[in-house]
Amino acid sequence: MDAAEGTPPQRLRTLPSRLTNQAAQIANRIVDQAFAQVGVRRYHYSLLAALEEYGPASQAALGRRTGIDRSDMVATVNDLAERQLLKRAPDLEDRRRNIITITEAGRRQLTHLDRLLAAAQDEFLAPLPAADRRNLIDLLTRLADHHGDRHN
């Protein structure tokens, strides 16, 4: 295959939406590979991070906070509970729902995952100097904030 055959048309190569999607796919692959080293997924990290930052919450509240779908939330909670990284207990105000709490082992695991994630971010952003990294984060944050209110 010659170079022209493997190269998309110029109008595609310069589309911000396409470039953002390509970069996201690469970033997700790098993060997934980092987390796979210790047998976790991005959902595990999101759930532990939300619990650590905001405290105990219902599965429904955690789903809204993390963007994890209800069916995926049940499986994620079950998996993390089996690993003793979180615990669930009946809500005293509404026995039909559970309150999820991070355990001390979950906090330790989250600290370890933070280190893995930081290394993955460094790998993803390797070609960019620090100033460009900060600028990219600022630009992506502005885009996400601007469109987040309309599409969530």
Side-chain angles (χ1 to χ4, degrees):
M1 171 192 314
D2 63 20
E5 195 173 320
T7 303
Q10 179 62 31
R11 63 174 29 125
L12 291 179
R13 290 193 311 260
T14 59
L15 285 174
S17 57
R18 182 175 181 274
L19 292 168
T20 303
N21 186 54
Q22 286 181 305
Q25 289 174 347
I26 294 164
N28 287 336
R29 186 185 72 245
I30 291 169
V31 169
D32 289 346
Q33 289 170 346
F35 284 165
Q37 295 173 40
V38 293
V40 299
R41 298 182 322 269
R42 282 179 276 148
Y43 279 172
H44 293 125
Y45 179 81
S46 296
L47 188 53
L48 291 172
L51 287 168
E52 201 277 329
E53 184 169 336
Y54 296 109
S58 69
Q59 287 181 193
L62 289 166
R64 288 187 298 274
R65 186 163 273 147
T66 62
I68 299 173
D69 184 75
R70 260 196 322 235
S71 61
D72 293 325
M73 178 61 73
V74 171
T76 304
V77 167
N78 288 343
D79 191 25
L80 292 173
E82 287 173 14
R83 298 175 193 214
Q84 300 181 341
L85 301 177
L86 58 76
K87 62 183 177 181
R88 65 183 141 206
D91 184 342
L92 297 178
E93 295 177 16
D94 183 350
R95 292 280 210 207
R96 295 170 295 172
R97 71 178 178 191
N98 289 316
I99 297 297
I100 312 301
T101 306
I102 191 170
T103 64
E104 192 52 44
R107 289 181 200 288
R108 287 191 303 272
Q109 175 74 321
L110 181 60
T111 298
H112 181 62
L113 296 177
D114 282 336
R115 287 191 297 271
L116 290 175
L117 187 56
Q121 300 303 300
D122 284 341
E123 179 182 343
F124 174 61
L125 298 172
L128 302 177
D132 286 350
R133 291 177 184 203
R134 287 188 300 275
N135 191 37
L136 177 64
I137 292 166
D138 177 60
L139 292 170
L140 291 172
T141 300
R142 287 172 27 205
L143 284 168
D145 288 350
H146 174 80
H147 294 289
D149 291 340
R150 293 188 217 170
H151 301 289
N152 283 340

